[in-house]
Amino acid sequence: MTIPQIRQTRQSDSKANRSIEQAAVYSERPLIFRAQTASASVPQILYVSNRGVDGNGFNLSYKVHEEGEDIAAHHRQLEVALGRPLSLVRQVHSSRVVDLDAYLANAVQGSDSHSPLTPSQLRTALVPLATREADAQVTTRTDIALGVYTADCTPVLLVDAVHGVYGVAHAGRKGVENGVVPETVAVMESKGAELTDVEVWLGPNICGNCYETGDVVAQEFAHKNAELLEKVARRGAGFPAEPDAFVTHTRFGGEGIDMRAALKAQLAAMGMNHQQVHDEDSCVDAQTHRELDQASSTEAQAPNNSMCTLENPLLYSYREWTLTHRPGSNGRFISVLMP
Ligand SMILES: [Zn+2]
């Protein structure tokens, strides 16, 4: 399916007479970055963000937002663009996975996990799910979009197109340590996925060169990840990397961690080969450069690494906000898997 183009220009004739305040609202627009997928049979993967380098941004977080931001309006706009209900959970850095099929069968009276449901039934059933504490979702449904909030943590999107099983996970430092991704894969397998058919996309996060944590946190991360690798390793899997591989020396001079490297090691330990894991994205990079070329803001520097939330000024970054407290930069973006 195609995503309708819903970008709005800031000064169309029809809006010329609106007050400045209203015009500011209308300048908010989502930037939809499409991840590169190998074939049309693979579901769409979208990163929806706009940190607002050139006007108001498109924050999607009810938890962190600034006065005057209409988050509900942003969600409505996003759902129109997606053309189907968006499923979200309350993320708490755990390894809890929601089986969305079972959840919906329970939430909609008279249905089972294979029942067709109307968009209205889905929307109503998903409202309470947004308050349930979990960090991953798995489904076999193709009438729903799975979403993950992030701003530096890693959005992980998992697809078994052969068996029709889909999952998303929120993996920040604690989520990586807690093994949210291996848990998600396990739930996918319980619903018919085969490990050799699962493809994984690691969405934009703060990179190892930027994510400075100090040596205590970095060493603890490396230690916990090494323990987890032993726990999730399966027969015949590649030998897990040395723990030190996940500790970095950042561009700020201190020790940090590389969440992507740790996640890739977990997937390898489980038995996935590197061709199943999509780590970089030339589509996101190309679009980022196009958007920034058009922006009038002098802050709009082209990033070295477009997949790094701290470096890419179009993506929300919690670290950027804590460093600068720049107005409008406190927010979350959503990564979406459309089965
Ligand atoms: Zn970076």
Side-chain angles (χ1 to χ4, degrees):
M1 64 164 286
T2 54
I3 301 288
Q5 184 57 261
I6 59 164
R7 281 184 199 159
Q8 289 159 321
T9 55
R10 275 204 267 173
Q11 288 151 346
S12 68
D13 290 345
S14 63
K15 290 171 193 158
N17 294 331
R18 292 184 199 277
S19 70
I20 290 169
E21 245 178 82
Q22 281 174 311
V25 170
Y26 280 97
S27 76
E28 296 167 18
R29 63 184 180 121
L31 300 177
I32 298 179
F33 298 87
R34 280 157 208 277
Q36 194 161 30
T37 50
S39 73
S41 65
V42 174
Q44 292 198 65
I45 289 170
L46 312 169
Y47 310 120
V48 184
S49 182
N50 184 354
R51 209 204 280 173
V53 292
D54 198 19
N56 288 356
F58 195 75
N59 176 21
L60 285 154
S61 173
Y62 289 100
K63 266 205 303 207
V64 280
H65 65 273
E66 293 176 25
E67 210 178 328
E69 283 187 316
D70 191 345
I71 306 300
H74 291 173
H75 276 261
R76 283 195 298 274
Q77 211 175 333
L78 173 58
E79 214 176 277
V80 169
L82 298 177
R84 59 174 93 171
L86 174 65
S87 179
L88 293 159
V89 292
R90 183 177 172 79
Q91 299 170 186
V92 290
H93 302 281
S94 72
S95 58
R96 280 194 291 281
V97 184
V98 171
D99 176 341
L100 200 50
D101 303 340
Y103 169 83
L104 288 168
N106 190 46
V108 182
Q109 216 174 11
S111 72
D112 61 39
S113 56
H114 302 293
S115 296
L117 299 171
T118 66
S120 162
Q121 283 176 312
L122 287 169
R123 229 169 258 123
T124 305
L126 292 173
V127 172
L129 184 63
T131 62
R132 179 180 288 198
E133 293 188 348
D135 287 274
Q137 306 177 65
V138 169
T139 192
T140 57
R141 302 190 72 97
T142 55
D143 52 1
I144 209 161
L146 305 177
V148 189
Y149 290 105
T150 57
D152 289 345
C153 295
T154 320
V156 184
L157 305 102
L158 307 101
V159 174
D160 178 346
V162 178
H163 302 93
V165 189
Y166 311 94
V168 296
H170 159 244
R173 175 171 62 83
K174 291 206 178 98
V176 175
E177 289 174 358
N178 288 334
V180 67
V181 170
E183 290 289 338
T184 307
V185 172
V187 175
M188 288 176 71
E189 289 178 307
S190 77
K191 295 173 75 67
E194 295 280 345
L195 192 73
T196 48
D197 292 317
V198 175
E199 282 193 85
V200 184
W201 279 261
L202 302 178
N205 70 351
I206 188 167
C207 80
N209 196 27
C210 291
Y211 189 12
E212 186 168 275
T213 58
D215 56 349
V216 173
V217 171
Q219 294 300 333
E220 188 187 311
F221 176 82
H223 180 70
K224 285 190 176 165
N225 200 57
E227 277 180 357
L228 184 71
L229 289 177
E230 284 195 22
K231 211 167 101 189
V232 301
R234 301 186 190 184
R235 194 195 301 259
F239 191 77
E242 292 298 316
D244 278 357
F246 317 120
V247 177
T248 60
H249 191 72
T250 72
R251 64 186 169 106
F252 304 110
E255 282 198 348
I257 59 177
D258 187 338
M259 285 189 285
R260 292 175 107 68
L263 286 167
K264 283 192 283 186
Q266 290 178 8
L267 295 166
M270 293 178 73
M272 285 195 201
N273 66 50
H274 67 273
Q275 279 146 334
Q276 290 174 263
V277 184
H278 306 274
D279 181 30
E280 291 168 0
D281 201 301
S282 57
C283 292
V284 170
D285 189 53
Q287 190 182 342
T288 296
H289 283 82
R290 272 199 310 276
E291 298 286 350
L292 291 173
D293 282 347
Q294 289 165 15
S296 60
S297 167
T298 51
E299 287 177 53
Q301 301 283 333
N304 256 337
N305 176 359
S306 296
M307 293 297 276
C308 172
T309 44
L310 187 61
E311 293 175 59
N312 187 333
L314 300 171
L315 302 171
Y316 283 100
S317 166
Y318 177 70
R319 182 60 61 101
E320 196 263 354
W321 183 76
T322 56
L323 291 172
T324 66
H325 281 86
R326 189 171 61 79
S329 70
N330 192 14
R332 301 282 182 271
F333 66 97
I334 292 184
S335 299
V336 181
L337 172 59
M338 304 256 289

